[in-house]
Amino acid sequence: NAGVTQTPKFRVLKTGQSMTLLCAQDMNHEYMYWYRQDPGMGLRLIHYSVGEGTTAKGEVPDGYNVSRLKKQNFLLGLESAAPSQTSVYFCASTQDLNTEAFFGQGTRLTVV
Amino acid sequence: GENVEQHPSTLSVQEGDSAVIKCTYSDSASNYFPWYKQELGKRPQLIIDIRSNVGEKKDQRIAVTLNKTAKHFSLHITETQPEDSAVYFCAALDSGGYQKVTFGTGTKLQVIP
C-alpha cells in the first residue's frame, strides 16, 4: 500500500516556466489537499478538493491552479513560476474531515 | 475561517524532562484537534488527536488536553527522548462550510541528551 505519492521529489524551475505536480493516493480518500511549507510559517493550504471533480481555494491560492479529474489524483499547476514560489510542497488526503491526514513525501521546488 | 496560534516556536529540553506545546484557536465550533510530528526531511505524521467531547487523551508518553471554554489545547510529552526531536504542528478543524483543517506554525523541539 503506497499511501500518498508525489511526483517529482525535486525540481528547479526558471522564472516564468510552468510545471505540474502530481499527487496520487491509493486509499480511496475523498478529501485531498495541497500545502506549501516555508520556514517559520507552518503548513499553508493552497487548494483543496472535497471529491472528484471539485476544487476550492485555500489560504494562499494565487499563482496556482488545481484539478481533480480522477478521485485518486490531485494535480497542482504553476503557470508562470516566480521565486516566491520556492518552497516545499506537500499533498495530503483524508477519508473524513475529522480523521488522520496522510501526507506525501514532499516536493522541493526551487525557482531561480 | 479558523485561526490557530502555536507557542513556543522553539523548545529545548533535557532528555527525561517534560515538554509542553500550547495552541489556541478562534472558532468556538471547532471540534477536532490533531497533532502532527515532522522529523527532519520527512513528511508530517499524526501522533495524537482529540475531539471536543473529551478533555484529555493519552497515548503512552504523549497526552493532549483540551479546554473548549478557553479555546486552547496542549501537547504534553513526558520522559522525553532524543527521538522526540522534531517539529510539532497543532491543527483545528474549521467548522461551517470550510472542509479543512488549519495548522499552527509549528514548534521545533530539541531534546538534549
Side-chain angles (χ1 to χ4, degrees):
Chain A
N1 193 341
V4 180
T5 303
Q6 291 180 230
T7 309
K9 293 186 176 64
F10 303 94
R11 186 72 186 268
V12 178
L13 282 180
K14 292 183 178 179
T15 298
Q17 286 186 320
S18 63
M19 76 164 295
T20 300
L21 281 68
L22 171 63
C23 177
Q25 53 96 0
D26 61 3
M27 297 172 283
N28 202 34
H29 284 173
E30 291 294 332
Y31 301 89
M32 296 188 73
Y33 305 86
W34 275 108
Y35 296 92
R36 60 177 289 173
Q37 185 174 33
D38 303 292
M41 303 189 75
L43 293 160
R44 293 185 294 167
L45 184 63
I46 305 170
H47 287 281
Y48 64 105
S49 169
V50 302
E52 181 179 324
T54 75
T55 62
K57 293 181 180 179
E59 184 184 356
V60 287
D62 293 343
Y64 305 94
N65 57 75
V66 289
S67 65
R68 185 134 180 239
L69 300 179
K70 295 182 179 180
K71 186 176 183 179
Q72 64 268 32
N73 295 337
F74 195 28
L75 278 64
L76 177 71
L78 287 73
E79 290 187 347
S80 179
S84 59
Q85 294 177 305
T86 294
S87 187
V88 178
Y89 292 84
F90 283 99
C91 174
S93 71
T94 67
Q95 179 51 37
D96 295 300
L97 290 173
N98 59 352
T99 57
E100 178 178 3
F102 292 86
F103 284 81
Q105 75 274 37
T107 297
R108 183 172 294 276
L109 174 66
T110 302
V111 182
V112 298
Chain B
E2 180 68 271
N3 182 44
V4 177
E5 295 190 357
Q6 182 171 350
H7 300 281
S9 57
T10 60
L11 179 61
S12 292
V13 299
Q14 292 289 331
E15 181 178 356
D17 287 350
S18 295
V20 180
I21 301 170
K22 298 181 179 181
C23 290
T24 61
Y25 61 98
S26 61
D27 185 350
S28 58
S30 290
N31 58 16
Y32 177 62
F33 307 91
W35 285 88
Y36 288 83
K37 175 184 180 182
Q38 185 180 28
E39 297 177 355
L40 187 62
K42 297 191 176 180
R43 71 191 79 189
Q45 291 187 298
L46 182 75
I47 54 172
I48 195 167
D49 57 14
I50 191 167
R51 291 174 174 77
S52 59
N53 56 340
V54 297
E56 184 176 8
K57 184 177 179 180
K58 288 184 179 180
D59 183 3
Q60 299 182 340
R61 297 186 295 108
I62 293 173
V64 58
T65 58
L66 172 64
N67 183 328
K68 288 219 70 178
T69 302
K71 292 190 287 185
H72 68 70
F73 56 113
S74 301
L75 179 71
H76 305 252
I77 306 174
T78 59
E79 301 174 12
T80 53
Q81 301 168 4
E83 52 265 37
D84 294 329
S85 295
V87 177
Y88 292 81
F89 293 98
C90 64
L93 176 63
D94 289 30
S95 67
Y98 302 100
Q99 297 168 296
K100 58 182 178 65
V101 296
T102 297
F103 285 86
T105 50
T107 296
K108 184 176 182 180
L109 173 65
Q110 181 184 21
V111 179
I112 304 167

